Amino acid sequence: MRKISFVLLLLLTSIFLISCKKESGTNVNIIEQSLEGNNYFFTLNVDGTFTDEEFIELSYSSSSELYSSLKEKINNKKYYLTITLTNNKANRLQLRFVINETIEKPGLQLLSEKTL
Amino acid sequence: MKKIITLCIFGWFFLFATMTFVYAQSDIEKIVIHYYRYDKTYDGYNIWLWEKEPANLGGKQFDFNNTDVDEYGAWIEINLSENYPNTTKFGIIIKKGAWDGYREPGGDRFFKVSDMEIKDKKVHAYFVEQDLNIGLSSDDLANNIPDYSPRILSSFFSKDKKINAKMTEKITKYEVFEDNIIVQSGTNSTDSLLLTPSFAVNLSKLYTIKVTFSNDSVVSKAISIHNLYDTVEFEDAYTYTDKLGAIYSKSQTIFRIWAPISDEITLNLYEQGHPNYSNNGNMHEEKLPYKTYSMNRISDGAWEVIVPGDLANKYYTFSVTNYGTTNEVTDPYSYSTGVNGLRSMVVDFSATNPDGWNYSSRPDTIKNLTDYIVYELHVRDLTSHETWNGNEEYRGKFLGFTETGTTYTNRENVTVTTGIDHIAELGVNAVQLLPIFDFGYIDEAEMATNPNYANTFNWGYMPYHFNTLEGSYSINPFDGASRINEFKQLVNALHEKDIRVIMDVVYNHTGESESSNFNKILPGYYHRLTSDGGYSNGSGTGNETASERSMVRNFMLDSIKFLATEYNLSGFRFDLMALHDVETMNQIESMLHEIDPTIVIYGEPWDAGDAAIDSTIAADKDNLSKANVGAFNDVTRDAIKGSVFTANEGAWLQGLNPANYVEGVKYGIVGGVDHSEVSVNKWHLDPNKTINYVSAHDNNTLYDKLRLTGVPTSYIEKYQIQANAIVLTSQGIPFLHAGVDFMRSKPKEDGSGYDENSYESSDKVNQLRWDRKAEYNNVFEYYKTLIAIRKNYAQFRMNNADDIINSIKFINTNNSNIIAYEINNPSLPSVIVIHSGKVKSAAVINLPSGKSYRQLTDYENASLISPNIITGVAVATPNTSIILIENSDVNASVKESTVKIKKNESFNPLNNIDYDATKQTVYTSSFYNTSVAGSYQISAVVVDTNGNTLLLEYKLIVEGSKHYKINLKGEITV
């Protein structure tokens, strides 16, 4: 019984720890950034193994997160934003956005998506 | 070895031929222009001579005099190396005095150096008064080219039906014929006749006069009835009201032409649109019609023939016989033509419609005419510059407008939209296209087949076929149906972006005078003539049409109705509108507003000088109160930035005697209405009729004008913005010259200044340069916001004079350099606009107490979503226009800060916003994908009916099998 209890405890602890890790999120690192003209350029890296679908999901979320961090600086003006996403430091996807193009087109608008 | 010898021989031959050619060219030192007038007086007469080829360059004036005269009249000797070192083809106009004086017929006339005989290192060109022929050699002179023999210069019935004739020299006798039967004769020993007919003049008969000169030569000429066209007798006899042109159906085509004095008319049918080219542009001859039909006189001067069968895409002409002379002419009603407009086309319009084409369809963006924001644009200019990166085949064509997604990025990494996306981003809701009807001076066949053909640009103000689209804008000008389909694609492309299409129409004159199809069909009817039968030249281009005559008026009405309905056009801009009569303009307005009351009609309320129209009926400034159409406001145009007639003269903007101009600026601000606080002569009287602008295709661009008036480059962006900040905050209809939003400039190619009349200059001068937009992107962004502000706030778009008079109050600034006013429309938030001009220190304006205002514009920035709330005073730095809107809250909010949905579940971003759909509009961001799990930032802008804005944001989470919570690591430092 003790053994069973111990195994159960171990199992629950593992599940809890896994859940905790999941809750802590995926680290996406800004490794390059520049503002040239009206263009923001960012290179973001994420380590790990991801399917194409997973990587796109991760890239879209990263883009929104980056935009949220930038919007104060942007101050409702129009900019272009190019994000190059690398996986284990290898180029994998590039997304290009226009931000606040007009009053009728606020926020992020995806212009192109290119697999690298 | 044989090959080498052959190559050597060929090489030597080539070298010899080249040297011979160069020698021949360099052997000519002078050109001599001879001009013969029968009255032997030459003082005041001159020539305008320019190089037409290889480069189309500007001209120079040379004067005749009464001293340098020989048997061929007066002559001018011109040194070629000094004036025309490389010219292979000349263009010439012979005139008296300035451009508004007498001109020899034929308009621009051309001759090639290679056709000229060289004598003593000189080439000669011979001209004779009132003769279109040009003599270039001794052989020409021996063959009487041009015609020096005694002639009848003019013969016509005067309004009281007397016969007038003017000869080149004295006669001995004359005879008058009615349909070849002599009805009057006599002797005379002068060079002019004034005869009272001894017979009853019958307008359906042909009258000719035959004279015998003292050398016994006999000459005949038809007696023109042009002075009788305006009689009730003529109007009653010859006003035809049914359809004219080629009326197509699958089973038959009805051909009708109005030609009341013609003896005979034949319809000629062709397979090809050009005698030398197939309809695909391949060399293929078809010189003669494959079938001809005699036409029958029907009623009221019209002729008709009905041809059975499906004639779609066949081409046709009419052979019209008047006074014994037959001319093959195109149909003035041509709905399309082959290349270069040589043959009219039978069009099945149902086969020309692109996918998605719907008749009677216009963007639903205009409720009142004052909602229009017009952008004046030339078709080629939008896409001709190398920085436009759309489909190469579409460059400079109608189809260039269909290319979306084009951008340009400069070295500094500034990215801008180009082409049609630029217009859409700017936010204007109408594009006014410079002439798109078939015009002269561009050889469409050469342009399509010869990559070295250089004469590819023209503004297009020399009309040939008013109902036909210009072939040089089509990717296949040889097939008359292609241009129709392509233009409809252009209209669709603009409509998809909520941009209406306005057409610049030029009914005030025809590209040719005597040789025009109108004139060959009924000489003298379509044009106003001078008292001696010459062409009145109120257009400055050789002639002017007579809109007051019933069949000219009918032609204009038919033409505009066709264009408005077939191409879904939303407006018409009338070139030199003062050459048209008020009644015609009002009939056009009624007809168009029956089709759609939001169609806008306006024009230039002036002519080019010396018009023959009765001043009491001209649609000019004096009579605008009687016309239900709009007109350009040149008063405000010149008051803002200086006269277009004096290049280096500034006005209010430049701080030049601002007191002289302040009332003119205020006249535009109140939309041309009779406002008691504005002290100028008022003639628009209705904001729906007032077209406010500072620059257009004519004259210098705004940027060039500012430079010419001494505005330093360090300040010029501010001036460029403020000029149109005044226009865009004024009542009336704002009009912007394309590219003014990014400092458009037209420097001459030779570096000698700016090109204020670039009507036939190259693309290089005229094109919209997207690199310039990138360079001045801040100016563009400011303009974009000014346009958004105008669209957002109805206070700037009041559509009746009473509202404007009651709402606008000028604030006393005690300084002519500062214009400030308040718009207090009781149903809308208060607006204050301050135009601070060239002041030494910032303008300070006290604001009404108890009110706070959102400041939308300042020295550097403009934003519709401005958080800058001010009370008490407003401060405006020099050359800045400040727009203040009475602050009020927008009642809207997000329901949840985070919305979660399952992957592939439907999502509407509006559903999470608490707003009043009856009073508010919400625009949302587009970056979310419900089939891709993740988190998305949703942005929303709420705009209420008062124009107030509110930015809202929330997060959307699309839950999938995995959902990544992102930890963005690293500091944003840029």
Side-chain angles (χ1 to χ4, degrees):
Chain A
M1 186 62 194
R2 272 189 180 177
K3 278 185 181 174
I4 292 169
S5 299
F6 179 74
V7 169
L8 274 173
L9 185 66
L10 200 67
L11 195 64
L12 286 169
T13 306
S14 301
I15 290 168
F16 175 74
L17 286 174
I18 290 167
S19 302
C20 281
K21 182 173 171 56
K22 205 174 179 181
E23 280 300 308
S24 67
T26 306
N27 290 338
V28 176
N29 296 297
I30 300 170
I31 56 175
E32 281 180 18
Q33 55 183 303
S34 64
L35 170 62
E36 299 166 30
N38 60 349
N39 278 275
Y40 280 103
F41 296 95
F42 281 86
T43 302
L44 307 181
N45 181 65
V46 58
D47 291 329
T49 304
F50 302 95
T51 66
D52 286 347
E53 185 183 353
E54 288 168 344
F55 198 76
I56 286 175
E57 290 176 358
L58 193 145
S59 300
Y60 280 15
S61 295
S62 301
S63 300
S64 286
E65 199 64 32
L66 182 59
Y67 166 69
S68 294
S69 304
L70 273 176
K71 64 184 181 188
E72 291 294 314
K73 290 177 185 257
I74 288 171
N75 191 26
N76 299 319
K77 291 187 176 173
K78 179 188 169 183
Y79 282 92
Y80 289 87
L81 170 63
T82 303
I83 305 174
T84 303
L85 292 118
T86 64
N87 186 194
N88 303 322
K89 305 283 167 54
N91 289 343
R92 190 157 174 184
L93 189 72
Q94 191 172 70
L95 301 173
R96 183 159 167 76
F97 299 90
V98 60
I99 301 169
N100 299 329
E101 184 171 32
T102 61
I103 191 83
E104 296 90 357
K105 294 177 180 175
L108 273 179
Q109 182 188 339
L110 182 63
L111 294 177
S112 64
E113 178 175 322
K114 192 163 62 177
T115 304
L116 302 173
Chain B
M1 186 61 187
K2 270 185 182 175
K3 278 183 183 173
I4 294 170
I5 292 169
T6 308
L7 273 173
C8 283
I9 292 170
F10 181 77
W12 279 108
F13 176 77
F14 181 76
L15 190 63
F16 175 75
T18 308
M19 286 177 69
T20 305
F21 178 74
V22 170
Y23 174 76
Q25 287 277 20
S26 62
D27 203 31
I28 307 169
E29 293 178 352
K30 292 179 177 173
I31 183 171
V32 188
I33 305 293
H34 303 261
Y35 176 45
Y36 184 83
R37 291 189 54 78
Y38 289 96
D39 62 6
K40 310 284 196 296
T41 59
Y42 297 98
D43 277 345
Y45 288 88
N46 58 64
I47 59 168
W48 183 258
L49 189 70
W50 70 95
E51 176 176 310
K52 181 66 180 170
E53 292 178 2
N56 195 8
L57 302 179
K60 293 180 182 175
Q61 181 171 308
F62 300 91
D63 296 337
F64 292 106
N65 59 54
N66 282 334
T67 308
D68 296 331
V69 177
D70 61 17
E71 62 183 309
Y72 297 111
W75 51 268
I76 302 169
E77 201 168 85
I78 300 161
N79 190 309
L80 287 178
S81 61
E82 282 177 18
N83 297 287
Y84 307 97
N86 303 311
T87 306
T88 56
K89 186 177 180 180
F90 282 100
I92 189 168
I93 292 171
I94 300 177
K95 60 191 178 68
K96 186 175 187 183
W99 289 104
D100 54 353
Y102 170 84
R103 279 194 217 181
E104 282 294 334
D108 295 357
R109 292 194 279 176
F110 304 100
F111 54 93
K112 290 181 179 174
V113 175
S114 59
D115 294 337
M116 303 176 84
E117 182 184 9
I118 307 169
K119 286 192 289 190
D120 300 329
K121 297 191 175 183
K122 295 176 185 172
V123 287
H124 298 256
Y126 298 87
F127 298 85
V128 170
E129 175 187 1
Q130 292 288 312
D131 186 13
L132 295 174
N133 296 302
I134 306 173
L136 300 175
S137 65
S138 304
D139 283 350
D140 283 349
L141 294 177
N143 289 313
N144 200 33
I145 301 172
D147 187 1
Y148 290 90
S149 60
R151 282 187 288 139
I152 303 171
L153 287 172
S154 62
S155 60
F156 55 90
F157 286 103
S158 57
K159 285 195 166 102
D160 55 2
K161 294 187 182 171
K162 287 183 177 167
I163 297 168
N164 292 253
K166 174 72 180 163
M167 278 65 67
T168 56
E169 53 194 75
K170 290 175 183 174
I171 62 169
T172 55
K173 62 179 182 178
Y174 66 86
E175 293 167 309
V176 177
F177 294 82
E178 181 184 271
D179 284 349
N180 299 319
I181 297 165
I182 190 164
V183 288
Q184 193 168 343
S185 63
T187 58
N188 191 286
S189 58
T190 67
D191 61 359
S192 62
L193 289 171
L194 179 60
L195 305 173
T196 302
S198 57
F199 52 91
V201 177
N202 181 341
L203 292 185
S204 63
K205 305 282 187 185
L206 167 66
Y207 294 94
T208 52
I209 186 164
K210 182 191 281 186
V211 299
T212 303
F213 289 98
S214 50
N215 67 354
D216 290 334
S217 63
V218 178
V219 176
S220 293
K221 189 174 176 78
I223 304 172
S224 172
I225 60 169
H226 68 263
N227 284 322
L228 308 181
Y229 290 153
D230 296 320
T231 60
V232 174
E233 188 183 354
F234 186 88
E235 292 275 314
D236 287 348
Y238 298 124
T239 298
Y240 186 76
T241 53
D242 210 345
K243 277 186 122 179
L244 291 164
I247 304 147
Y248 167 82
S249 66
K250 287 268 182 218
S251 58
Q252 64 176 35
T253 298
I254 304 167
F255 295 89
R256 273 195 211 126
I257 180 172
W258 184 73
I261 66 158
S262 295
D263 310 321
E264 185 181 353
I265 301 182
T266 303
L267 168 73
N268 309 301
L269 291 178
Y270 297 92
E271 297 287 352
Q272 295 184 182
H274 190 282
N276 299 325
Y277 291 97
S278 74
N279 300 334
N280 289 322
N282 299 318
M283 295 298 288
H284 184 265
E285 280 197 357
E286 188 199 31
K287 301 285 188 192
L288 299 172
Y290 74 83
K291 189 115 186 175
T292 61
Y293 294 88
S294 286
M295 299 185 72
N296 305 306
R297 191 187 284 273
I298 48 173
S299 60
D300 303 328
W303 297 65
E304 177 184 280
V305 64
I306 300 173
V307 180
D310 187 347
L311 295 188
N313 303 323
K314 303 293 186 194
Y315 293 85
Y316 69 99
T317 60
F318 298 118
S319 291
V320 178
T321 304
N322 291 335
Y323 303 136
T325 302
T326 302
N327 286 299
E328 186 174 359
V329 297
T330 52
D331 185 354
Y333 274 76
S334 302
Y335 296 119
S336 195
T337 67
V339 71
N340 284 341
L342 299 182
R343 293 170 180 171
S344 307
M345 186 191 199
V346 179
V347 181
D348 173 6
F349 280 100
S350 66
T352 66
N353 295 337
D355 290 344
W357 182 259
N358 294 307
Y359 283 104
S360 305
S361 167
R362 295 175 184 85
D364 186 23
T365 49
I366 306 293
K367 289 187 172 54
N368 304 308
L369 298 184
T370 49
D371 294 338
Y372 274 101
I373 303 172
V374 181
Y375 199 58
E376 187 201 33
L377 178 64
H378 186 280
V379 169
R380 283 189 68 78
D381 291 351
L382 186 71
T383 58
S384 64
H385 194 253
E386 62 191 16
T387 48
W388 180 78
N389 62 355
N391 184 330
E392 201 55 39
E393 192 188 6
Y394 297 172
R395 189 179 292 283
K397 309 292 185 190
F398 287 140
L399 288 178
F401 283 70
T402 66
E403 291 284 280
T404 59
T406 59
T407 58
Y408 170 75
T409 302
N410 68 6
R411 285 181 186 170
E412 287 74 37
N413 255 319
V414 176
T415 300
V416 293
T417 53
T418 67
I420 191 172
D421 286 355
H422 161 79
I423 309 171
E425 185 188 350
L426 181 62
V428 295
N429 52 30
V431 160
Q432 177 201 297
L433 294 173
L434 266 75
I436 51 168
F437 52 75
D438 178 42
F439 57 76
Y441 295 132
I442 290 178
D443 187 327
E444 298 164 3
E446 274 289 293
M447 191 167 161
T449 57
N450 177 3
N452 296 319
Y453 181 69
N455 187 32
T456 56
F457 183 92
N458 201 284
W459 278 350
Y461 289 91
M462 291 302 259
Y464 277 73
H465 297 97
F466 295 88
N467 297 336
T468 293
L469 298 165
E470 165 63 12
S472 67
Y473 296 150
S474 168
I475 60 171
N476 179 10
F478 299 95
D479 177 359
S482 291
R483 65 189 73 173
I484 299 172
N485 169 272
E486 292 163 24
F487 181 67
K488 286 180 173 176
Q489 288 190 56
L490 174 154
V491 173
N492 260 0
L494 286 166
H495 281 193
E496 280 169 17
K497 293 184 178 296
D498 278 344
I499 301 164
R500 291 180 168 217
V501 182
I502 297 169
M503 183 173 174
D504 188 342
V505 289
V506 188
Y507 294 101
N508 65 70
H509 72 279
T510 54
E512 293 178 11
S513 303
E514 198 157 350
S515 52
S516 67
N517 52 5
F518 277 128
N519 197 60
K520 286 176 178 168
I521 292 165
L522 180 53
Y525 179 80
Y526 290 91
H527 301 99
R528 293 189 193 109
L529 303 182
T530 57
S531 57
D532 61 357
Y535 288 89
S536 178
N537 187 19
S539 68
T541 51
N543 63 69
E544 65 187 73
T545 52
S547 62
E548 67 277 16
R549 291 191 179 131
S550 59
M551 291 306 288
V552 182
R553 177 179 292 159
N554 283 358
F555 176 79
M556 289 173 66
L557 281 156
D558 291 345
S559 176
I560 291 166
K561 185 173 188 180
F562 159 74
L563 293 165
T565 53
E566 186 58 43
Y567 295 114
N568 290 342
L569 299 181
S570 297
F572 294 89
R573 175 262 189 200
F574 284 80
D575 189 61
L576 302 181
M577 187 172 69
L579 289 171
H580 302 312
D581 62 297
V582 168
E583 175 60 24
T584 298
M585 294 310 302
N586 282 345
Q587 287 194 24
I588 288 168
E589 183 268 339
S590 298
M591 178 269 293
L592 285 173
H593 284 168
E594 255 184 54
I595 295 168
D596 184 337
T598 66
I599 290 176
V600 65
I601 308 132
Y602 54 90
E604 294 178 309
W606 51 76
D607 57 46
D610 289 335
I613 188 170
D614 179 346
S615 62
T616 63
I617 63 168
D620 60 9
K621 294 180 187 178
D622 291 340
N623 297 318
L624 196 69
S625 60
K626 293 180 266 183
N628 304 321
V629 298
F632 286 97
N633 178 4
D634 59 337
V635 174
T636 303
R637 176 197 69 189
D638 289 353
I640 292 175
K641 55 92 171 108
S643 166
V644 297
F645 299 112
T646 312
N648 59 359
E649 183 181 292
W652 185 88
L653 198 61
Q654 297 93 332
L656 179 81
N657 300 322
N660 293 347
Y661 302 109
V662 68
E663 295 301 318
V665 177
K666 286 163 65 182
Y667 179 64
I669 287 171
V670 299
V673 306
D674 188 10
H675 194 289
S676 61
E677 293 181 301
V678 179
S679 304
V680 292
N681 180 37
K682 297 146 189 163
W683 43 277
H684 288 91
L685 306 178
D686 181 343
N688 296 292
K689 292 165 64 173
T690 307
I691 309 297
N692 279 324
Y693 72 123
V694 288
S695 59
H697 70 275
D698 276 323
N699 311 119
N700 285 299
T701 67
L702 177 60
Y703 175 89
D704 296 345
K705 174 72 177 176
L706 295 174
R707 292 294 294 131
L708 289 165
T709 53
V711 176
T713 50
S714 53
Y715 290 100
I716 203 162
E717 293 175 28
K718 306 303 173 198
Y719 285 70
Q720 186 92 6
I721 289 169
Q722 185 167 45
N724 275 311
I726 295 171
V727 168
L728 287 164
T729 50
S730 289
Q731 306 299 318
I733 300 171
F735 172 101
L736 303 173
H737 180 218
V740 73
D741 44 311
F742 51 90
M743 316 281 274
R744 183 179 188 177
S745 178
K746 292 198 278 188
K748 287 181 181 171
E749 284 188 89
D750 62 6
S752 63
Y754 299 109
D755 197 338
E756 62 174 337
N757 188 18
S758 62
Y759 73 101
E760 59 172 4
S761 302
S762 67
D763 282 330
K764 198 174 173 187
V765 171
N766 284 289
Q767 59 202 179
L768 293 176
R769 297 183 57 125
W770 304 111
D771 52 345
R772 202 164 169 89
K773 181 183 175 189
E775 183 181 356
Y776 294 106
N777 192 41
N778 56 325
V779 176
F780 168 76
E781 290 292 333
Y782 206 117
Y783 266 75
K784 189 169 87 176
T785 303
L786 286 171
I787 288 168
I789 290 169
R790 182 176 183 87
K791 286 161 76 174
N792 219 38
Y793 294 101
Q795 293 91 323
F796 299 114
R797 298 181 276 112
M798 288 182 273
N799 75 327
N800 69 78
D802 286 345
D803 279 357
I804 293 169
I805 290 165
N806 294 330
S807 302
I808 293 187
K809 294 250 178 297
F810 286 92
I811 298 166
N812 184 7
T813 63
N814 292 317
N815 187 340
S816 298
N817 275 315
I818 305 165
I819 302 171
Y821 60 97
E822 194 170 1
I823 308 173
N824 280 314
N825 187 314
S827 58
L828 295 166
S830 170
V831 171
I832 292 176
V833 179
I834 304 162
H835 299 300
S836 174
K838 194 177 179 186
V839 288
K840 287 179 182 163
S841 55
V844 179
I845 301 290
N846 292 321
L847 301 177
S849 58
K851 286 184 181 178
S852 64
Y853 293 85
R854 273 192 306 131
Q855 182 173 342
L856 304 184
T857 58
D858 64 22
Y859 186 63
E860 287 195 323
N861 297 303
S863 172
L864 203 51
I865 315 171
S866 168
N868 190 15
I869 310 295
I870 64 169
T871 56
V873 295
V875 179
T877 50
N879 284 110
T880 302
S881 291
I882 292 206
I883 303 170
L884 306 172
I885 306 291
E886 185 180 358
N887 190 40
S888 60
D889 293 334
V890 177
N891 293 319
S893 59
V894 293
K895 293 175 184 170
E896 304 287 342
S897 60
T898 302
V899 174
K900 289 184 179 176
I901 62 169
K902 302 282 183 215
K903 191 173 173 182
N904 294 322
E905 190 180 326
S906 68
F907 169 70
N908 181 347
L910 297 178
N911 289 347
N912 189 43
I913 295 173
D914 196 0
Y915 73 106
D916 183 347
T918 63
K919 294 177 181 169
Q920 294 170 326
T921 305
V922 182
Y923 303 105
T924 58
S925 56
S926 59
F927 180 58
Y928 58 87
N929 188 336
T930 57
S931 62
V932 178
S935 58
Y936 299 91
Q937 186 75 18
I938 303 296
S939 307
V941 173
V942 184
V943 184
D944 69 17
T945 48
N946 290 338
N948 297 307
T949 57
L950 177 67
L951 178 64
L952 298 172
E953 297 199 274
Y954 64 92
K955 187 165 277 188
L956 168 69
I957 292 178
V958 179
E959 296 176 324
S961 55
K962 270 184 181 174
H963 156 237
Y964 294 101
K965 182 177 184 306
I966 301 299
N967 297 321
L968 199 60
K969 299 285 186 183
E971 187 186 354
I972 295 176
T973 56
V974 291

